[in-house]
Amino acid sequence: ETGVTQSPTHLIKTRGQQVTLRCSSQSGHNTVSWYQQALGQGPQFIFQYYREEENGRGNFPPRFSGLQFPNYSSELNVNALELDDSALYLCASNKNQETQYFGPGTRLLVL
Amino acid sequence: AQSVTQLGSHVSVSEGALVLLRCNYSSSVPPYLFWYVQYPNQGLQLLLKYTSAATLVKGINGFEAEFKKSETSFHLTKPSAHMSDAAEYFCAVVFSGGYNKLIFGAGTRLAVHP
């Protein structure tokens, strides 16, 4: 059974650019959630996708957007990058309301 | 507001000593509770979870946690610390009435000394 995978592992961007992060959910999972973990803090919920529909959203601006595909993989897109967007971005997958399992994360640095 | 509080951002113990990491939540309805561990430059690994069954929950690597409704707590313990337990530990909660959104505490960094 393949776990949750994320790509890329590391990324460097400059202010104002756009970025796309990718996540492949664990086999059999239909829900994907994205979290932002700033340095020294706990993860913060960005949004969740269930069966290709946004199922809930945290306190993040609209420039954070996402997609879920028919195979339940997902993308996180961030437009107009700001310095404070530098963080570890974690993807988690689960089946329906069951336990979330996390990927290794993508570390984004905005210069 | 629904929240999770982890007391102590840093905890240091000697190898072989008891590990106690504290977690309290604010909610009148018992939520689902989780402990995750994060090793340096890695994602989060599930240690254990409470989902309204037994109040004492056993997890991986010898960790366990006890849900105490009267104290709104879910503290994590391990009888004997090992050097490999050094990591960041996060308590997380899913509150009822919504989708499966995890709310995390700020984390506790555990250091284990020889």
Side-chain angles (χ1 to χ4, degrees):
Chain A
E1 183 181 275
T2 306
V4 180
T5 60
Q6 293 185 242
S7 62
T9 56
H10 295 80
L11 203 51
I12 300 175
K13 292 286 187 178
T14 56
R15 266 188 310 175
Q17 285 189 312
Q18 179 266 341
V19 69
T20 298
L21 310 182
R22 294 176 175 83
C23 172
S24 291
S25 59
Q26 187 167 315
S27 177
H29 289 184
N30 55 15
T31 304
V32 172
S33 303
W34 286 91
Y35 295 83
Q36 181 196 65
Q37 186 181 16
L39 198 62
Q41 297 182 24
Q44 300 289 318
F45 176 78
I46 303 175
F47 44 56
Q48 180 179 95
Y49 280 82
Y50 171 68
R51 294 185 175 180
E52 303 179 60
E53 298 281 335
E54 187 178 288
N55 190 42
R57 190 178 183 92
N59 191 26
F60 281 81
R63 59 189 185 83
F64 285 78
S65 63
L67 283 173
Q68 187 180 32
F69 300 100
N71 66 355
Y72 302 126
S73 66
S74 176
E75 286 182 356
L76 164 64
N77 298 288
V78 187
N79 294 321
L81 283 166
E82 301 177 359
L83 296 180
D84 285 349
D85 296 333
S86 295
L88 179 68
Y89 288 84
L90 295 163
C91 168
S93 75
N94 61 284
K95 181 179 179 180
N96 300 328
Q97 296 291 310
E98 296 174 0
T99 302
Q100 294 181 36
Y101 292 90
F102 285 80
T106 293
R107 189 164 296 281
L108 172 66
L109 178 60
V110 182
L111 301 176
Chain B
Q2 298 171 330
S3 65
V4 181
T5 302
Q6 290 184 241
L7 287 175
S9 59
H10 290 81
V11 170
S12 181
V13 300
S14 298
E15 192 173 20
L18 171 70
V19 175
L20 171 60
L21 305 182
R22 300 177 187 274
C23 174
N24 289 86
Y25 65 90
S26 62
S27 173
S28 58
V29 178
Y32 291 168
L33 295 148
F34 305 81
W35 277 98
Y36 285 88
V37 60
Q38 186 174 38
Y39 298 100
N41 300 313
Q42 294 188 26
L44 300 174
Q45 180 182 6
L46 179 69
L47 273 178
L48 49 79
K49 63 180 179 181
Y50 167 77
T51 56
S52 73
T55 57
L56 183 62
V57 181
K58 294 188 183 299
I60 62 171
N61 302 337
F63 284 93
E64 62 182 35
E66 185 172 10
F67 171 67
K68 292 188 177 180
K69 182 179 178 181
S70 61
E71 299 177 9
T72 60
S73 69
F74 190 57
H75 301 331
L76 181 71
T77 60
K78 182 174 180 177
S80 177
H82 191 273
M83 297 295 287
S84 61
D85 295 327
E88 186 95 23
Y89 291 81
F90 291 96
C91 180
V93 174
V94 170
F95 292 105
S96 63
Y99 45 91
N100 195 19
K101 174 180 91 170
L102 283 166
I103 297 176
F104 285 86
T108 297
R109 184 167 297 279
L110 176 66
V112 182
H113 300 288

